[in-house]
């Protein structure tokens, strides 16, 4: 009886581990804050659309990258673009 109970518990644990929650695209995007936008693209791909405007914080541009269900905000200056927020 103890052996059967132990086997059932082990199988239950395996099932729970195998069905663990995967990170959503938004959570992956949040992990890219203060990193290059290229890292974001490697994790979740290119956005559905984007929009850029001159930044009032510097010489570069502020970007909004539109994904399904969330927006990634970036700052682009020269050849570098950095993720600074996800909403």
């Amino acid at each position: 009886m103890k052996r059967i109970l132990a086997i059932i518990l082990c199988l239950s644990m395996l099932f729970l581990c195998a069905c663990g929650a995967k990170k959503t695209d938004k959570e992956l995007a949040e992990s890219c804050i203060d990193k290059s936008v290229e890292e974001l693209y490697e994790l979740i791909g290119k956005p559905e659309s984007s929009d850029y405007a001159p930044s009032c914080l510097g010489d570069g541009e502020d970007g909004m990258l539109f994904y399904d269900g969330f927006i990634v905000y970036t700052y682009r200056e020269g050849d570098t673009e950095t993720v600074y927020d996800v909403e």
Side-chain angles (χ1 to χ4, degrees):
M1 184 68 179
K2 288 182 184 179
R3 185 174 287 183
I4 293 173
L5 183 59
I7 290 172
I8 291 172
L9 287 174
C10 287
L11 291 174
S12 301
M13 299 274 294
L14 285 173
F15 179 75
L16 289 174
C17 291
C19 295
K22 291 173 54 176
K23 285 190 173 185
T24 64
D25 284 347
K26 183 176 180 183
E27 291 171 327
L28 291 171
E30 288 170 343
S31 73
C32 291
I33 292 175
D34 294 329
K35 296 181 182 175
S36 167
V37 76
E38 294 302 321
E39 292 183 46
L40 173 73
Y41 293 161
E42 288 176 20
L43 284 176
I44 63 173
K46 301 267 183 169
E48 295 173 358
S49 64
S50 61
D51 187 31
Y52 290 89
S55 177
C56 48
L57 298 175
D59 294 331
E61 296 178 305
D62 291 325
M64 293 177 18
L65 309 179
F66 298 96
Y67 287 90
D68 185 26
F70 63 98
I71 302 171
V72 175
Y73 296 93
T74 66
Y75 178 74
R76 177 170 69 181
E77 187 170 2
D79 292 338
T80 59
E81 185 172 3
T82 307
V83 174
Y84 70 85
D85 197 13
V86 177
E87 187 177 279

Coordinates of all heavy atoms in Angstrom, one line a residue:
M1 N 0.8 -1.2 0.0 CA 0.0 0.0 0.0 C 0.9 1.3 0.0 O 0.6 2.2 -0.7 CB -0.9 0.0 1.2 CG -1.9 1.1 1.3 SD -3.1 0.9 0.0 CE -4.1 2.3 0.3
K2 N 1.9 1.2 0.8 CA 2.8 2.4 0.9 C 3.5 2.6 -0.5 O 3.7 3.7 -0.9 CB 3.9 2.2 2.0 CG 3.3 2.3 3.4 CD 4.4 2.2 4.4 CE 3.9 2.2 5.8 NZ 5.0 2.1 6.8
R3 N 3.9 1.5 -1.1 CA 4.6 1.6 -2.4 C 3.6 2.2 -3.4 O 4.1 3.1 -4.2 CB 5.0 0.2 -2.8 CG 5.8 0.3 -4.1 CD 6.4 -1.1 -4.4 NE 7.5 -1.4 -3.5 CZ 8.2 -2.4 -3.5 NH1 8.0 -3.3 -4.4 NH2 9.2 -2.6 -2.6
I4 N 2.4 1.8 -3.4 CA 1.4 2.4 -4.4 C 1.2 3.9 -4.1 O 1.2 4.7 -5.1 CB 0.1 1.6 -4.3 CG1 0.3 0.2 -4.8 CG2 -1.0 2.4 -5.1 CD1 -0.9 -0.7 -4.6
L5 N 1.1 4.3 -2.9 CA 1.0 5.7 -2.5 C 2.2 6.5 -3.0 O 2.0 7.6 -3.5 CB 0.7 5.8 -1.0 CG 0.5 7.2 -0.5 CD1 -0.8 7.8 -1.2 CD2 0.3 7.2 1.0
A6 N 3.4 5.9 -2.8 CA 4.6 6.6 -3.2 C 4.6 6.8 -4.7 O 5.0 7.8 -5.2 CB 5.8 5.8 -2.7
I7 N 4.2 5.8 -5.4 CA 4.2 5.9 -6.9 C 3.2 6.9 -7.3 O 3.5 7.7 -8.2 CB 3.9 4.5 -7.5 CG1 5.1 3.5 -7.3 CG2 3.6 4.6 -9.0 CD1 4.8 2.1 -7.7
I8 N 2.1 6.9 -6.7 CA 1.0 7.9 -7.1 C 1.6 9.4 -6.8 O 1.4 10.3 -7.6 CB -0.3 7.7 -6.3 CG1 -0.9 6.4 -6.9 CG2 -1.2 8.9 -6.5 CD1 -2.1 5.9 -6.1
L9 N 2.2 9.5 -5.7 CA 2.8 10.9 -5.3 C 3.9 11.3 -6.3 O 3.9 12.4 -6.7 CB 3.3 10.9 -3.9 CG 2.3 10.9 -2.8 CD1 2.9 10.7 -1.4 CD2 1.5 12.2 -2.8
C10 N 4.7 10.3 -6.7 CA 5.8 10.6 -7.7 C 5.2 11.0 -9.0 O 5.7 12.0 -9.6 CB 6.7 9.5 -7.8 SG 7.8 9.2 -6.4
L11 N 4.2 10.3 -9.5 CA 3.6 10.6 -10.7 C 2.9 12.0 -10.7 O 2.9 12.7 -11.7 CB 2.6 9.5 -11.1 CG 3.2 8.2 -11.5 CD1 2.1 7.1 -11.8 CD2 4.1 8.3 -12.7
S12 N 2.3 12.3 -9.6 CA 1.6 13.6 -9.4 C 2.6 14.7 -9.5 O 2.4 15.7 -10.1 CB 0.9 13.7 -8.0 OG -0.1 12.7 -7.9
M13 N 3.8 14.5 -8.8 CA 4.9 15.5 -8.9 C 5.4 15.7 -10.3 O 5.6 16.8 -10.7 CB 6.0 15.2 -7.9 CG 5.6 15.0 -6.5 SD 5.6 16.6 -5.6 CE 7.4 16.9 -5.6
L14 N 5.6 14.6 -11.0 CA 6.0 14.7 -12.4 C 5.0 15.5 -13.3 O 5.4 16.3 -14.1 CB 6.3 13.3 -13.0 CG 7.5 12.6 -12.5 CD1 7.6 11.2 -13.0 CD2 8.8 13.3 -12.9
F15 N 3.8 15.2 -13.1 CA 2.7 15.8 -13.9 C 2.7 17.3 -13.6 O 2.7 18.1 -14.5 CB 1.4 15.2 -13.5 CG 0.3 15.9 -14.3 CD1 0.1 15.6 -15.6 CD2 -0.6 16.8 -13.6 CE1 -1.0 16.3 -16.3 CE2 -1.6 17.4 -14.3 CZ -1.8 17.1 -15.6
L16 N 2.8 17.7 -12.3 CA 2.8 19.1 -11.9 C 4.1 19.9 -12.5 O 4.0 21.0 -13.0 CB 2.8 19.3 -10.4 CG 1.4 18.9 -9.8 CD1 1.6 19.0 -8.3 CD2 0.3 19.9 -10.3
C17 N 5.2 19.2 -12.5 CA 6.4 19.8 -13.0 C 6.3 20.0 -14.5 O 6.8 21.0 -15.1 CB 7.6 19.0 -12.6 SG 8.0 19.1 -10.9
A18 N 5.8 19.0 -15.2 CA 5.7 19.0 -16.7 C 4.7 20.1 -17.1 O 4.8 20.6 -18.2 CB 5.3 17.6 -17.2
C19 N 3.7 20.4 -16.3 CA 2.7 21.4 -16.7 C 3.0 22.7 -16.1 O 2.1 23.6 -16.0 CB 1.3 20.9 -16.2 SG 0.8 19.4 -17.0
G20 N 4.2 23.0 -15.7 CA 4.6 24.3 -15.2 C 4.3 25.4 -16.1 O 4.3 25.3 -17.4
A21 N 4.0 26.6 -15.6 CA 3.6 27.7 -16.4 C 4.8 28.3 -17.2 O 5.9 28.4 -16.6 CB 3.0 28.8 -15.6
K22 N 4.6 28.5 -18.5 CA 5.7 29.1 -19.3 C 5.5 30.6 -19.1 O 4.4 31.2 -18.9 CB 5.5 28.7 -20.7 CG 5.8 27.3 -21.0 CD 5.5 26.9 -22.4 CE 6.1 27.8 -23.5 NZ 5.9 27.4 -24.8
K23 N 6.6 31.4 -19.3 CA 6.6 32.8 -19.2 C 5.8 33.4 -20.4 O 6.0 32.9 -21.6 CB 8.0 33.4 -19.2 CG 8.7 33.3 -17.9 CD 9.9 34.1 -17.9 CE 10.5 34.1 -16.5 NZ 11.7 35.0 -16.4
T24 N 5.0 34.4 -20.2 CA 4.3 35.0 -21.3 C 5.3 35.9 -22.1 O 6.3 36.2 -21.6 CB 3.1 35.8 -20.8 OG1 3.6 36.9 -20.0 CG2 2.2 35.0 -20.0
D25 N 4.9 36.3 -23.3 CA 5.7 37.2 -24.1 C 5.9 38.5 -23.3 O 7.0 39.1 -23.3 CB 5.1 37.5 -25.4 CG 5.2 36.4 -26.4 OD1 6.0 35.5 -26.1 OD2 4.6 36.4 -27.4
K26 N 4.9 39.0 -22.6 CA 5.0 40.3 -21.8 C 6.1 40.1 -20.7 O 6.9 41.0 -20.5 CB 3.7 40.7 -21.2 CG 3.8 42.0 -20.5 CD 2.4 42.5 -20.0 CE 2.6 43.8 -19.3 NZ 1.3 44.3 -18.7
E27 N 6.1 39.0 -20.0 CA 7.1 38.7 -19.0 C 8.5 38.6 -19.6 O 9.4 39.1 -19.0 CB 6.7 37.4 -18.2 CG 5.5 37.5 -17.3 CD 5.1 36.2 -16.8 OE1 5.2 35.2 -17.4 OE2 4.5 36.2 -15.6
L28 N 8.6 38.0 -20.7 CA 9.9 38.0 -21.4 C 10.3 39.3 -21.8 O 11.5 39.7 -21.7 CB 9.8 37.0 -22.6 CG 9.6 35.5 -22.3 CD1 9.3 34.8 -23.6 CD2 10.9 35.0 -21.7
A29 N 9.4 40.2 -22.3 CA 9.7 41.6 -22.7 C 10.2 42.3 -21.4 O 11.2 43.1 -21.5 CB 8.5 42.2 -23.3
E30 N 9.5 42.1 -20.3 CA 9.9 42.8 -19.1 C 11.3 42.4 -18.6 O 12.0 43.2 -18.1 CB 8.9 42.5 -18.0 CG 7.6 43.2 -18.2 CD 6.5 42.8 -17.2 OE1 6.6 41.7 -16.6 OE2 5.5 43.5 -17.2
S31 N 11.7 41.2 -19.0 CA 13.1 40.8 -18.6 C 14.1 41.5 -19.5 O 15.3 41.4 -19.2 CB 13.2 39.3 -18.7 OG 13.3 38.9 -20.1
C32 N 13.7 42.2 -20.5 CA 14.6 42.9 -21.4 C 14.8 44.4 -21.1 O 15.5 45.1 -21.8 CB 14.2 42.7 -22.9 SG 14.3 41.1 -23.5
I33 N 14.1 44.8 -20.0 CA 14.3 46.2 -19.7 C 15.7 46.6 -19.4 O 16.4 45.8 -18.7 CB 13.4 46.6 -18.5 CG1 11.9 46.5 -18.9 CG2 13.7 48.0 -17.9 CD1 10.9 46.7 -17.8
D34 N 16.2 47.7 -19.9 CA 17.6 48.1 -19.9 C 18.6 47.3 -20.7 O 19.8 47.3 -20.5 CB 18.1 48.2 -18.4 CG 17.4 49.2 -17.6 OD1 17.0 50.3 -18.2 OD2 17.3 49.0 -16.4
K35 N 18.0 46.5 -21.6 CA 18.8 45.7 -22.6 C 18.6 46.2 -24.0 O 17.6 46.9 -24.3 CB 18.5 44.2 -22.4 CG 18.9 43.7 -21.0 CD 18.6 42.2 -20.9 CE 18.9 41.7 -19.5 NZ 18.5 40.3 -19.4
S36 N 19.3 45.7 -24.9 CA 19.2 46.0 -26.3 C 17.9 45.4 -26.9 O 17.4 44.4 -26.5 CB 20.4 45.4 -27.1 OG 20.1 45.4 -28.5
V37 N 17.3 46.2 -27.8 CA 16.1 45.7 -28.4 C 16.3 44.4 -29.2 O 15.4 43.6 -29.4 CB 15.4 46.8 -29.3 CG1 16.2 47.0 -30.6 CG2 14.0 46.6 -29.5
E38 N 17.5 44.2 -29.6 CA 17.9 43.0 -30.3 C 17.6 41.7 -29.5 O 17.2 40.7 -29.9 CB 19.3 43.0 -30.8 CG 19.6 44.0 -31.9 CD 18.7 43.9 -33.1 OE1 18.4 42.8 -33.6 OE2 18.3 44.9 -33.7
E39 N 17.9 41.9 -28.2 CA 17.6 40.8 -27.2 C 16.1 40.5 -27.1 O 15.7 39.3 -27.1 CB 18.2 41.0 -25.9 CG 19.7 41.1 -25.8 CD 20.3 41.3 -24.5 OE1 19.8 40.6 -23.5 OE2 21.2 42.1 -24.3
L40 N 15.3 41.6 -27.2 CA 13.9 41.4 -27.2 C 13.4 40.7 -28.4 O 12.6 39.8 -28.3 CB 13.2 42.8 -27.1 CG 11.7 42.9 -27.2 CD1 11.0 42.4 -26.0 CD2 11.3 44.3 -27.6
Y41 N 13.9 41.1 -29.6 CA 13.5 40.4 -30.8 C 13.9 38.9 -30.8 O 13.2 38.1 -31.3 CB 14.2 41.1 -32.0 CG 13.7 42.5 -32.3 CD1 14.5 43.4 -33.1 CD2 12.5 43.0 -31.8 CE1 14.1 44.7 -33.3 CE2 12.1 44.3 -32.0 CZ 12.9 45.1 -32.8 OH 12.5 46.4 -33.1
E42 N 15.0 38.6 -30.2 CA 15.4 37.2 -30.1 C 14.5 36.4 -29.3 O 14.2 35.2 -29.5 CB 16.9 37.0 -29.6 CG 17.9 37.5 -30.5 CD 19.3 37.4 -29.9 OE1 19.5 36.7 -28.9 OE2 20.2 38.1 -30.5
L43 N 13.9 37.0 -28.2 CA 13.1 36.3 -27.3 C 11.6 36.2 -27.8 O 11.0 35.1 -27.7 CB 13.0 37.0 -25.9 CG 14.2 36.8 -25.0 CD1 14.1 37.6 -23.8 CD2 14.4 35.3 -24.7
I44 N 11.1 37.3 -28.3 CA 9.6 37.2 -28.7 C 9.4 37.6 -30.2 O 8.2 37.7 -30.6 CB 8.8 38.1 -27.7 CG1 9.2 39.5 -27.8 CG2 8.9 37.5 -26.3 CD1 8.2 40.4 -27.0
G45 N 10.4 38.0 -30.9 CA 10.2 38.4 -32.3 C 9.9 39.8 -32.5 O 9.9 40.6 -31.5
K46 N 9.7 40.2 -33.7 CA 9.5 41.6 -34.1 C 8.0 42.0 -33.7 O 7.2 41.2 -33.7 CB 9.7 41.8 -35.6 CG 11.1 41.5 -36.1 CD 12.0 42.7 -36.1 CE 13.3 42.3 -36.6 NZ 14.1 43.4 -36.9
P47 N 7.8 43.3 -33.5 CA 6.5 43.8 -33.1 C 5.5 43.7 -34.3 O 5.9 43.7 -35.5 CB 6.7 45.2 -32.6 CG 7.9 45.6 -33.4 CD 8.8 44.4 -33.5
E48 N 4.2 43.8 -34.0 CA 3.2 43.9 -35.1 C 3.3 45.2 -35.8 O 3.2 45.3 -37.0 CB 1.8 43.7 -34.5 CG 1.6 42.4 -33.9 CD 0.2 42.3 -33.1 OE1 -0.5 43.3 -33.0 OE2 -0.1 41.2 -32.6
S49 N 3.6 46.3 -35.1 CA 3.9 47.6 -35.6 C 4.7 48.4 -34.6 O 4.9 48.0 -33.5 CB 2.6 48.3 -36.0 OG 1.8 48.6 -34.8
S50 N 5.2 49.6 -35.1 CA 6.0 50.4 -34.2 C 5.8 51.9 -34.6 O 5.3 52.2 -35.7 CB 7.5 50.1 -34.3 OG 7.9 50.2 -35.6
D51 N 6.1 52.8 -33.7 CA 6.0 54.2 -33.9 C 7.1 54.9 -33.2 O 7.4 54.6 -32.1 CB 4.6 54.7 -33.4 CG 4.3 56.1 -33.8 OD1 4.8 56.6 -34.9 OD2 3.6 56.8 -33.0
Y52 N 7.7 55.9 -33.9 CA 8.9 56.6 -33.3 C 8.6 58.1 -33.4 O 8.0 58.6 -34.3 CB 10.2 56.3 -34.0 CG 10.6 54.9 -33.8 CD1 10.2 53.8 -34.6 CD2 11.5 54.6 -32.7 CE1 10.7 52.5 -34.3 CE2 11.9 53.3 -32.4 CZ 11.5 52.3 -33.3 OH 11.9 51.0 -33.0
A53 N 9.1 58.8 -32.4 CA 8.9 60.3 -32.3 C 10.2 60.8 -31.7 O 10.8 60.2 -30.9 CB 7.7 60.7 -31.5
P54 N 10.5 62.1 -32.0 CA 11.7 62.7 -31.3 C 11.5 62.7 -29.8 O 10.5 63.0 -29.3 CB 11.7 64.2 -31.9 CG 10.9 64.1 -33.1 CD 9.9 63.0 -32.9
S55 N 12.6 62.4 -29.1 CA 12.6 62.3 -27.7 C 12.8 63.7 -27.0 O 13.6 64.5 -27.5 CB 13.7 61.4 -27.2 OG 13.7 61.3 -25.8
C56 N 12.1 64.0 -26.0 CA 12.4 65.2 -25.2 C 13.4 65.0 -24.1 O 13.8 65.9 -23.4 CB 11.1 65.8 -24.6 SG 10.1 64.6 -23.8
L57 N 13.9 63.8 -24.0 CA 14.9 63.4 -23.0 C 16.4 63.4 -23.6 O 17.3 63.4 -22.8 CB 14.6 62.1 -22.4 CG 13.3 62.0 -21.7 CD1 13.1 60.6 -21.2 CD2 13.3 63.0 -20.5
G58 N 16.5 63.4 -24.9 CA 17.8 63.4 -25.5 C 17.7 63.6 -27.0 O 16.7 64.0 -27.5
D59 N 18.9 63.3 -27.7 CA 18.9 63.6 -29.1 C 18.3 62.5 -29.9 O 18.1 62.6 -31.1 CB 20.4 63.7 -29.5 CG 21.0 65.0 -28.9 OD1 20.3 66.0 -28.7 OD2 22.2 65.0 -28.7
G60 N 17.9 61.4 -29.3 CA 17.4 60.2 -30.0 C 15.9 60.3 -30.2 O 15.3 61.3 -30.2
E61 N 15.3 59.1 -30.4 CA 13.9 58.9 -30.6 C 13.3 58.0 -29.5 O 13.9 57.0 -29.2 CB 13.6 58.3 -32.0 CG 14.0 59.2 -33.1 CD 13.7 58.6 -34.4 OE1 14.2 57.4 -34.6 OE2 13.0 59.2 -35.2
D62 N 12.1 58.3 -29.1 CA 11.3 57.4 -28.3 C 10.5 56.4 -29.2 O 9.9 56.9 -30.2 CB 10.4 58.1 -27.4 CG 11.1 58.9 -26.3 OD1 12.2 58.4 -25.8 OD2 10.6 60.0 -25.9
G63 N 10.5 55.2 -28.9 CA 9.8 54.2 -29.7 C 8.7 53.5 -28.9 O 8.8 53.3 -27.7
M64 N 7.7 53.1 -29.7 CA 6.6 52.3 -29.1 C 6.5 51.1 -30.0 O 6.2 51.2 -31.2 CB 5.3 53.1 -29.0 CG 5.3 54.2 -28.0 SD 3.9 55.3 -27.9 CE 2.5 54.4 -28.6
L65 N 6.8 49.9 -29.5 CA 6.7 48.7 -30.2 C 5.4 48.0 -29.8 O 5.2 47.6 -28.6 CB 7.9 47.8 -30.0 CG 9.3 48.4 -30.2 CD1 10.4 47.5 -29.8 CD2 9.4 49.0 -31.5
F66 N 4.5 47.8 -30.7 CA 3.2 47.2 -30.4 C 3.1 45.7 -30.6 O 3.3 45.2 -31.8 CB 2.1 47.9 -31.3 CG 2.0 49.4 -31.0 CD1 2.7 50.3 -31.9 CD2 1.2 49.9 -30.0 CE1 2.6 51.6 -31.6 CE2 1.1 51.2 -29.8 CZ 1.8 52.1 -30.6
Y67 N 2.9 45.0 -29.5 CA 2.8 43.5 -29.6 C 1.3 43.2 -29.2 O 0.6 44.1 -28.8 CB 3.7 42.9 -28.6 CG 5.1 42.9 -29.0 CD1 6.0 43.9 -28.7 CD2 5.7 41.8 -29.8 CE1 7.3 43.9 -29.1 CE2 7.0 41.9 -30.2 CZ 7.8 42.9 -29.9 OH 9.1 42.9 -30.3
D68 N 0.9 42.0 -29.4 CA -0.5 41.6 -29.1 C -0.7 41.7 -27.5 O -0.2 40.8 -26.8 CB -0.7 40.2 -29.6 CG -2.1 39.7 -29.4 OD1 -3.0 40.6 -29.3 OD2 -2.4 38.5 -29.3
G69 N -1.4 42.7 -27.1 CA -1.7 42.8 -25.7 C -0.8 43.7 -24.8 O -1.1 43.9 -23.7
F70 N 0.3 44.2 -25.4 CA 1.2 45.0 -24.6 C 2.0 45.9 -25.5 O 2.1 45.6 -26.7 CB 2.1 44.2 -23.6 CG 3.0 43.3 -24.3 CD1 4.3 43.6 -24.5 CD2 2.6 42.0 -24.7 CE1 5.2 42.7 -25.1 CE2 3.4 41.1 -25.3 CZ 4.7 41.5 -25.5
I71 N 2.6 46.9 -24.9 CA 3.5 47.9 -25.7 C 4.9 47.9 -25.0 O 5.0 47.9 -23.8 CB 2.9 49.3 -25.7 CG1 1.5 49.3 -26.3 CG2 3.8 50.3 -26.4 CD1 0.8 50.6 -26.1
V72 N 5.9 47.9 -25.8 CA 7.3 48.0 -25.3 C 7.8 49.4 -25.7 O 7.7 49.8 -26.9 CB 8.2 46.9 -26.0 CG1 9.6 47.1 -25.6 CG2 7.7 45.5 -25.6
Y73 N 8.3 50.1 -24.7 CA 8.8 51.5 -25.0 C 10.3 51.4 -25.1 O 11.0 50.7 -24.2 CB 8.4 52.4 -23.8 CG 6.9 52.6 -23.8 CD1 6.1 51.8 -23.0 CD2 6.3 53.5 -24.6 CE1 4.7 51.9 -22.9 CE2 4.9 53.7 -24.5 CZ 4.1 52.9 -23.7 OH 2.8 53.0 -23.7
T74 N 10.9 52.1 -26.1 CA 12.3 52.0 -26.3 C 12.9 53.5 -26.5 O 12.1 54.4 -26.7 CB 12.7 51.2 -27.5 OG1 12.1 51.9 -28.7 CG2 12.1 49.8 -27.5
Y75 N 14.2 53.6 -26.4 CA 14.9 54.8 -26.7 C 16.0 54.4 -27.7 O 16.8 53.5 -27.5 CB 15.5 55.4 -25.5 CG 16.3 56.7 -25.8 CD1 15.6 57.9 -26.1 CD2 17.7 56.7 -25.8 CE1 16.3 59.0 -26.4 CE2 18.4 57.8 -26.2 CZ 17.7 59.0 -26.5 OH 18.4 60.1 -26.8
R76 N 15.9 55.1 -28.9 CA 16.9 54.8 -30.0 C 17.7 56.0 -30.2 O 17.2 57.1 -30.5 CB 16.1 54.4 -31.2 CG 16.9 54.2 -32.4 CD 16.1 53.5 -33.5 NE 15.2 54.5 -34.1 CZ 14.3 54.2 -35.1 NH1 14.3 53.0 -35.6 NH2 13.5 55.1 -35.5
E77 N 19.0 55.8 -30.2 CA 20.0 56.9 -30.5 C 21.1 56.3 -31.3 O 21.8 55.4 -30.9 CB 20.5 57.6 -29.3 CG 21.3 58.8 -29.6 CD 21.7 59.7 -28.4 OE1 21.3 59.3 -27.2 OE2 22.3 60.7 -28.5
G78 N 21.3 56.8 -32.6 CA 22.3 56.2 -33.4 C 21.9 54.8 -33.8 O 20.8 54.5 -34.2
D79 N 22.9 53.9 -33.6 CA 22.7 52.5 -33.9 C 22.2 51.6 -32.7 O 22.0 50.4 -32.8 CB 24.0 51.9 -34.4 CG 24.4 52.4 -35.8 OD1 23.5 52.9 -36.5 OD2 25.6 52.4 -36.1
T80 N 22.0 52.3 -31.6 CA 21.5 51.5 -30.4 C 20.1 51.9 -30.0 O 19.7 53.0 -30.1 CB 22.5 51.8 -29.2 OG1 22.4 53.2 -28.9 CG2 23.9 51.4 -29.5
E81 N 19.4 50.8 -29.7 CA 18.0 51.0 -29.2 C 17.8 50.1 -27.9 O 18.1 48.9 -27.9 CB 17.0 50.5 -30.3 CG 15.6 50.8 -29.9 CD 14.6 50.6 -31.1 OE1 15.0 50.1 -32.1 OE2 13.4 50.8 -30.9
T82 N 17.4 50.8 -26.9 CA 17.3 50.1 -25.6 C 15.8 50.1 -25.1 O 15.1 51.1 -25.2 CB 18.1 50.9 -24.5 OG1 19.4 51.0 -25.0 CG2 18.1 50.2 -23.2
V83 N 15.4 49.0 -24.5 CA 14.1 48.8 -23.9 C 14.1 49.5 -22.6 O 15.0 49.3 -21.8 CB 13.7 47.3 -23.8 CG1 12.4 47.2 -23.0 CG2 13.7 46.6 -25.1
Y84 N 13.1 50.4 -22.3 CA 13.1 51.0 -21.0 C 11.8 50.8 -20.3 O 11.7 51.1 -19.1 CB 13.5 52.5 -21.1 CG 12.5 53.4 -21.7 CD1 11.4 54.0 -21.0 CD2 12.6 53.8 -23.1 CE1 10.5 54.8 -21.6 CE2 11.7 54.7 -23.7 CZ 10.7 55.2 -23.0 OH 9.8 56.1 -23.6
D85 N 10.7 50.3 -20.9 CA 9.5 50.0 -20.2 C 8.6 49.0 -21.0 O 8.7 49.0 -22.2 CB 8.7 51.3 -19.8 CG 7.7 51.1 -18.7 OD1 7.7 50.0 -18.1 OD2 6.9 52.0 -18.6
V86 N 7.7 48.3 -20.3 CA 6.8 47.5 -20.9 C 5.4 47.7 -20.2 O 5.4 47.8 -19.0 CB 7.1 46.0 -20.8 CG1 6.1 45.1 -21.4 CG2 8.5 45.7 -21.4
E87 N 4.4 47.9 -21.0 CA 3.1 48.2 -20.4 C 2.0 47.4 -21.0 O 1.9 47.2 -22.2 CB 2.8 49.7 -20.7 CG 1.6 50.2 -20.0 CD 1.4 51.7 -20.2 OE1 2.1 52.5 -19.5 OE2 0.6 52.1 -21.1

